[in-house]
Amino acid sequence: MPALKKCYHIRKGDFIRAGEASIQAKNVLKSLNLDPELIRRVAICGYEGEMDVVIHGGDGELCLAINSDRLILDITDSGPGIEDIERAMQKGFSTASDEHREMGFGAGMGLPNMNNNADHMEIKSEKGKGTQVQMTFSTTRGGNKVE
Ligand SMILES: Nc1ncnc2c1ncn2[C@@H]1O[C@H](COP(=O)(O)OP(=O)(O)OP(=O)(O)O)[C@@H](O)[C@H]1O
Ligand SMILES: [Mg+2]
């Protein structure tokens, strides 16, 4: 059982509320007085993951679980899924529509950025069923990723 677990709903296509789940998660981390560098990395991952759900996924949620030594950020949705995860992870790969590109999304940098900022990232996805992106962060050592 994690010491603390919070989940926030994410709605597909809801650009009015987009970003709120990751802001709320960030506020929880701030209230716990965690290392600002760790909070920054988790916030980047949360925001990128949340926007992927809004743009490419379906309805879903962002969950934050904190244990004594690690933090788990779980972003799941019940959208179309990712057909080729390896390809989706490549820098610059994007299936964003013209409309989303006009809004500034679609550089194909979100997943690589999340992978760089988390200590560990795992994607599980099934076509037609949805996607789970799970990222873990150590809370016991300094902010920077050890390569
Ligand atoms: N939750 C998801 N559901 C379905 N497909 C996804 C999901 N997340 C990512 N993808 C797929 O992976 C691709 C790469 O995602 P990534 O976040 O790296 O780039 P992007 O969202 O297209 O652009 P950017 O994040 O730079 O604005 C997406 O274009 C989309 O095809
Ligand atoms: Mg993205």
Side-chain angles (χ1 to χ4, degrees):
M1 271 279 285
L4 180 144
K5 186 169 180 188
K6 298 260 185 201
C7 290
Y8 306 97
H9 199 67
I10 305 172
R11 278 175 56 193
K12 172 189 159 97
D14 185 351
F15 286 95
I16 307 277
R17 292 199 174 81
E20 276 185 15
S22 45
I23 288 173
Q24 300 212 47
K26 186 179 177 179
N27 286 340
V28 169
L29 301 181
K30 278 187 179 168
S31 73
L32 294 172
N33 278 325
L34 289 171
D35 173 25
E37 176 62 17
L38 172 66
I39 296 177
R40 191 186 66 83
R41 289 164 53 217
V42 176
I44 290 170
C45 292
Y47 176 75
E48 291 288 359
E50 181 175 1
M51 292 318 301
D52 278 349
V53 171
V54 172
I55 294 171
H56 312 288
D59 287 348
E61 62 179 7
L62 179 154
C63 290
L64 182 68
I66 305 171
N67 296 317
S68 54
D69 62 344
R70 65 180 194 152
L71 190 156
I72 300 160
L73 183 63
D74 225 326
I75 303 175
T76 54
D77 73 76
S78 53
I82 300 177
E83 207 167 331
D84 184 341
I85 293 173
E86 215 175 296
R87 198 163 167 224
M89 284 294 298
Q90 284 170 9
K91 286 182 188 166
F93 176 80
S94 177
T95 58
S97 65
D98 289 346
E99 189 193 341
H100 292 140
R101 287 173 197 270
E102 275 165 25
M103 294 170 82
F105 302 105
M109 289 306 292
L111 291 174
N113 202 10
M114 289 153 76
N115 192 41
N116 280 336
N117 278 285
D119 288 320
H120 181 73
M121 177 163 117
E122 196 177 327
I123 303 178
K124 288 182 185 150
S125 189
E126 205 178 322
K127 204 175 169 215
K129 294 222 166 141
T131 301
Q132 176 188 25
V133 183
Q134 187 174 84
M135 290 155 280
T136 54
F137 305 79
S138 164
T139 55
T140 53
R141 60 169 178 73
N144 288 319
K145 180 172 172 149
V146 178
E147 293 294 343

